[in-house]
Amino acid sequence: MHPPSPPRSIGFFRRLVNRLTEANSSEGGAYGLFHLRSEVARLQASVTRLTSAFEQRDITSVKTLLESADRRDFEATVRDRIHTIPLPDGTVLCRVLGRYKMYVDAADTSLAPHLMLEGFWQYWITAFLCRNLDRGETVYDLEAGYGYYALLMSELVGAEGRVVALEYNPWLFQLLRRNLALNGQDSIVVAHRIVASSKAAAAKELPVRLTGPSTDTNQAVQFRRGSATSCIAPAMTLDGLEPGSADLVLVSVFALEQGALQGMQGLIDRSSSLRIILEFVADRCPNPRDTLESLAARFPLRFIDVDSRAKPITIDRILEIGDLSLFLSKNEPR
């Protein structure tokens, strides 16, 4: 008689020991070796599946992940790697895009909840940047905040490229610099505490969205949480900030209010391949139709849809929607 097979309810290693015992017995040697090979083959298949699953979770680069996964898989993979640690200074250390370590303000109810609980922000812009930024390019990030896009863009342009991040809010600027250093990107990203404007000004009073804790040093630019509604920051035009051309400029709503577009006309003129991603909110723009008409005179009007693709759009449709991401460039996007 053949020796009985071990019950399937017991573990793999117990079954393997039983097969080895059978293989060494004179009575069931051939039978035991046959089943031993079967168990080893099953183990190899399990290891292959585990290796594949691990490699999918190990995010070597955001761009590679986006190229190999649809939106649902991308979001699931990033969420699977979420981790948050509250810190005594009122910040939370979290893992973003499955790769970056970022400090965010625990009192922030706008961007921080997305980074802490989702691990990403604005999928459509994130995916669009990964598809349309190349190594060696020069990028401006206006109102960089915690540095979410600055970190992503620094990965995309690489050591050969350059990212210039502007953030006027002193508390956010401090967190921006901490995040860049924490991720080793402070050699690629140059951070300035200024606001992009239509003209230069040594001091400009600006509203603050977040205020950080007071410290014993640098009191002039630090505020106790909730104690200040404005701050003073220098203003600068992009035309006068640095010489040379740029490949991409990411413009926030607030930067638009402060006249960033008016202050970068020279940069547009000297950057033949410039792409602009503009977060446009009609209600917050002083003259939305005039602004859009001036943009349409220089660029085809496109918006970045939720599928991360840039599509044509009219001025009337933009004003009807009121809040969307515009893509401005003479070149066709990818």
Side-chain angles (χ1 to χ4, degrees):
M1 292 180 60
H2 294 303
S5 298
R8 296 294 298 176
S9 59
I10 67 173
F12 165 79
F13 290 103
R14 175 66 181 275
R15 296 201 307 272
L16 184 59
V17 170
N18 289 345
R19 297 309 183 195
L20 287 171
T21 303
E22 295 166 1
N24 289 328
S25 69
S26 57
E27 180 180 350
Y31 179 82
L33 286 173
F34 173 80
H35 282 278
L36 177 60
R37 293 190 187 100
S38 175
E39 294 295 345
V40 170
R42 188 177 291 110
L43 174 62
Q44 289 174 333
S46 298
V47 169
T48 299
R49 287 194 298 271
L50 288 171
T51 301
S52 176
F54 177 79
E55 288 175 348
Q56 289 176 1
R57 293 182 60 195
D58 185 18
I59 302 175
T60 57
S61 78
V62 179
K63 185 172 184 175
T64 300
L65 175 61
L66 281 164
E67 289 173 346
S68 61
D70 60 20
R71 177 169 180 171
R72 179 177 296 180
D73 289 339
F74 166 81
E75 293 181 358
T77 303
V78 169
R79 288 192 189 105
D80 192 46
R81 296 177 65 85
I82 288 172
H83 190 60
T84 58
I85 303 175
L87 300 175
D89 65 351
T91 63
V92 178
L93 179 62
C94 57
R95 183 185 289 128
V96 174
L97 287 172
R99 289 174 52 78
Y100 309 123
K101 300 173 286 291
M102 293 185 66
Y103 297 102
V104 300
D105 193 300
D108 176 13
T109 59
S110 56
L111 177 57
H114 295 275
L115 298 182
M116 290 187 293
L117 300 180
E118 301 288 343
F120 64 93
W121 170 245
Q122 293 182 321
Y123 167 87
W124 56 96
I125 302 295
T126 300
F128 186 85
L129 285 171
C130 287
R131 203 168 54 251
N132 286 275
L133 260 185
D134 298 316
R135 298 189 73 81
E137 294 194 311
T138 298
V139 185
Y140 286 84
D141 184 8
L142 310 189
E143 309 311 320
Y146 299 121
Y148 173 86
Y149 284 123
L151 285 170
L152 174 63
M153 293 189 293
S154 69
E155 176 184 318
L156 296 172
V157 302
E160 316 94 290
R162 193 161 183 268
V163 178
V164 181
L166 276 57
E167 176 53 57
Y168 75 87
N169 184 304
W171 175 230
L172 288 179
F173 181 71
Q174 185 183 122
L175 295 180
L176 168 66
R177 294 185 64 184
R178 286 168 65 182
N179 288 334
L180 295 175
L182 183 62
N183 290 276
Q185 298 300 306
D186 45 349
S187 62
I188 298 175
V189 183
V190 178
H192 298 287
R193 197 181 83 80
I194 62 175
V195 61
S197 187
S198 58
K199 58 183 179 180
K204 193 167 187 175
E205 187 172 2
L206 302 162
V208 289
R209 295 160 295 182
L210 286 173
T211 57
S214 178
T215 62
D216 294 333
T217 60
N218 211 13
Q219 287 279 359
V221 296
Q222 293 298 320
F223 306 97
R224 290 196 179 276
R225 192 176 304 281
S227 66
T229 58
S230 65
C231 69
I232 302 299
M236 181 78 67
T237 66
L238 286 193
D239 291 343
L241 182 61
E242 294 185 356
S245 62
D247 297 290
L248 186 142
V249 179
L250 182 62
V251 186
S252 76
V253 174
F254 186 78
L256 175 63
E257 290 178 345
Q258 295 301 310
L261 289 175
Q262 293 94 322
M264 61 183 287
Q265 296 304 305
L267 178 64
I268 294 174
D269 290 337
R270 62 179 184 256
S271 305
S272 58
S273 62
L274 182 65
R275 293 98 77 196
I276 300 173
I277 297 176
L278 173 62
E279 298 296 320
F280 185 84
V281 178
D283 290 343
R284 294 188 59 180
C285 184
N287 300 292
R289 184 173 289 276
D290 291 347
T291 298
L292 291 171
E293 288 176 350
S294 66
L295 292 174
R298 304 199 68 160
F299 303 104
L301 294 180
R302 303 182 182 94
F303 78 105
I304 303 176
D305 207 347
V306 291
D307 61 0
S308 80
R309 299 291 174 176
K311 301 171 183 178
I313 193 169
T314 65
I315 291 177
D316 288 339
R317 182 59 178 155
I318 294 173
L319 294 175
E320 180 184 347
I321 296 173
D323 183 355
L324 71 176
S325 303
L326 296 181
F327 175 71
L328 308 169
S329 178
K330 296 176 181 178
N331 300 325
E332 287 291 327
R334 296 196 287 267

